[in-house]
Amino acid sequence: MKIDRLSIVLPCHNEESNIPELIKELSLVLKPFAFTYEIIFVDDGSKDSTFKIINDISKSNKFVKGYALSRNFGHQIALLAGIENATGDVIITMDADLQHPPEIIPQLIEKYEDGYDIVNTRRKYDKKTTVFKKTSSKWFYILINKLSDIKIEPQSSDFRLMNREAVDAFLKMKEHNRFTRGLIRWIGFEQTIIDYETNERFSGQSSYSLKKMITLAIDGVTSMSSKPLRLSLYLGFIFFVSGLVYGTYVMFNYFSGINITGWTSILISILIIGGIQLLILSIIGEYVAKIFNEVKSRPLYLIKAKTHK
Ligand code: UDP
Ligand code: MG
């Protein structure tokens, strides 16, 4: 399949120092190809001059387009905003901090030409990847794969190519809680994966704090599966059986004339059972909150400015 028009979608949050370099590298990589292309930036409520820089460059570079969201909606929603506004028959999504190397784009295109609908990528770690990033990412995937119904490759990222059919399928999913990697697995089609080495951030700071990662993990699990709700069934069963066993033991002692003094055991069981009830309530709460969000059906994002008509 020949590409007619390629769209590159880049969500950015406080990336002012990366944008000029990014455009330079992308233009260099895309120049040899025969197709036309557009570079779409989605400014996700940056506090710096990200959008101003995009806007200035778009005046002289007709390949560059930008949208500014009305506030920070988060990486996953910014990604969606870009994909929804992309006009290409093939779309590549990537990070704006050059951690997803533009040099890999020809490999993605090659796989597309081999007939794949979606080309995913998986980052290989290098010596510079921090232990924090490695460990948190490892646990993230263990959690998601154990608790949800969909298998997601460890180290996979939101650097991927999709053809128009896959994009249209992806856009049919209107849910508010968007865990892109899971949704992409869910839609199916012919998918493949390639490896790349991650670069250090060209400049600026990662916007993903531990708090944002935990939120992404909880959202990932609760939006892809209802398995956590079943936890209460198992826990309830375990506690019921332990109660029966302990009750039998107490009765046995009573009839054998041994008195059981119970302060400690009462306190411990109240604490454990109370804790577990709260845990289960909060799991149910997560799902209720998700339902609440979906029912309100607010728009997923709002655009406050564009670089073009
Ligand atoms: N990003 C975004 N909105 C956010 C946080 C991040 O659009 O609220 C963008 C960010 O500009 C970058 C990409 O998402 O292009 C990945 O973010 P980051 O580099 O901070 O994450 P990391 O590479 O550390 O996982
Ligand atoms: Mg990054």
Side-chain angles (χ1 to χ4, degrees):
M1 283 279 281
K2 276 264 155 293
I3 302 182
D4 205 36
R5 181 172 171 81
L6 176 76
S7 305
I8 309 255
V9 169
L10 305 133
C12 29
H13 181 240
N14 299 340
E15 304 283 8
E16 57 179 7
S17 44
N18 293 322
I19 285 163
E21 173 68 20
L22 187 62
I23 294 175
K24 206 173 89 191
E25 288 194 22
L26 282 173
S27 312
L28 215 66
V29 168
L30 295 172
K31 213 172 171 187
F33 290 99
F35 50 72
T36 59
Y37 66 90
E38 59 179 357
I39 303 177
I40 301 182
F41 288 96
V42 180
D43 173 25
D44 186 17
S46 297
K47 294 264 178 286
D48 63 5
S49 50
T50 298
F51 190 67
K52 190 184 171 298
I53 291 176
I54 297 166
N55 201 24
D56 288 350
I57 297 178
S58 75
K59 297 272 180 291
S60 56
N61 185 337
K62 65 176 174 23
F63 299 111
V64 174
K65 278 185 187 171
Y67 296 87
L69 302 187
S70 61
R71 63 169 168 85
N72 180 257
F73 281 88
H75 177 202
Q76 302 291 303
I77 295 292
L79 205 56
L80 172 75
I83 295 174
E84 260 184 350
N85 288 290
T87 57
D89 49 342
V90 171
I91 294 180
I92 294 178
T93 55
M94 57 199 293
D95 285 357
D97 56 3
L98 291 150
Q99 281 191 307
H100 295 160
E103 310 88 87
I104 308 295
I105 291 176
Q107 292 178 36
L108 294 178
I109 293 174
E110 213 171 283
K111 287 280 180 199
Y112 165 78
E113 285 168 345
D114 287 347
Y116 288 101
D117 302 303
I118 299 175
V119 188
N120 296 296
T121 64
R122 183 168 45 196
R123 54 183 181 265
K124 285 192 279 185
Y125 290 135
D126 59 12
K127 286 187 213 88
K128 283 181 198 130
T129 317
T130 58
V131 179
F132 169 73
K133 188 90 200 174
K134 273 188 204 160
T135 339
S136 55
S137 160
K138 191 176 130 208
W139 280 101
F140 179 81
Y141 286 104
I142 288 180
L143 191 76
I144 296 238
N145 284 333
K146 277 262 178 291
L147 288 179
S148 73
D149 305 325
I150 275 168
K151 291 281 155 279
I152 298 168
E153 282 290 330
Q155 267 102 274
S156 59
S157 60
D158 284 320
F159 180 22
R160 79 166 60 74
L161 176 147
M162 286 188 262
N163 67 6
R164 187 36 70 184
E165 285 71 34
V167 167
D168 288 343
F170 176 74
L171 292 178
K172 277 197 186 127
M173 291 182 282
K174 298 287 179 205
E175 59 209 82
H176 281 232
N177 216 282
R178 303 190 75 86
F179 180 59
T180 313
R181 270 161 263 181
L183 295 178
I184 296 288
R185 275 265 146 226
W186 190 91
I187 61 174
F189 290 90
E190 289 302 317
Q191 304 201 11
T192 184
I193 194 157
I194 61 172
D195 290 305
Y196 69 92
E197 306 245 341
T198 159
N199 291 326
E200 267 190 279
R201 256 181 166 273
F202 182 68
S203 85
Q205 272 197 341
S206 169
S207 296
Y208 269 99
S209 57
L210 182 61
K211 192 169 153 244
K212 271 195 183 173
M213 287 231 262
I214 292 175
T215 310
L216 185 69
I218 293 177
D219 280 352
V221 172
T222 51
S223 66
M224 295 314 293
S225 150
S226 51
K227 263 190 198 169
L229 287 171
R230 200 154 301 154
L231 192 70
S232 51
L233 180 71
Y234 299 133
L235 283 176
F237 187 72
I238 291 170
F239 275 81
F240 177 64
V241 171
S242 346
L244 276 185
V245 171
Y246 190 65
T248 319
Y249 167 73
V250 170
M251 290 292 265
F252 181 78
N253 277 339
Y254 179 76
F255 287 116
S256 329
I258 306 168
N259 270 336
I260 306 237
T261 49
W263 277 114
T264 329
S265 51
I266 287 177
L267 197 66
I268 290 175
S269 43
I270 288 178
L271 284 179
I272 293 181
I273 294 175
I276 286 177
Q277 282 175 339
L278 283 181
L279 177 87
I280 288 166
L281 258 179
S282 67
I283 294 177
I284 299 173
E286 277 293 327
Y287 286 94
V288 175
K290 296 247 139 69
I291 299 171
F292 179 54
N293 262 336
E294 298 294 341
V295 170
K296 279 187 289 186
S297 60
R298 291 186 183 162
L300 289 163
Y301 58 86
L302 296 167
I303 292 177
K304 75 170 174 201
K306 295 185 212 179
T307 53
H308 53 285
K309 288 250 163 55

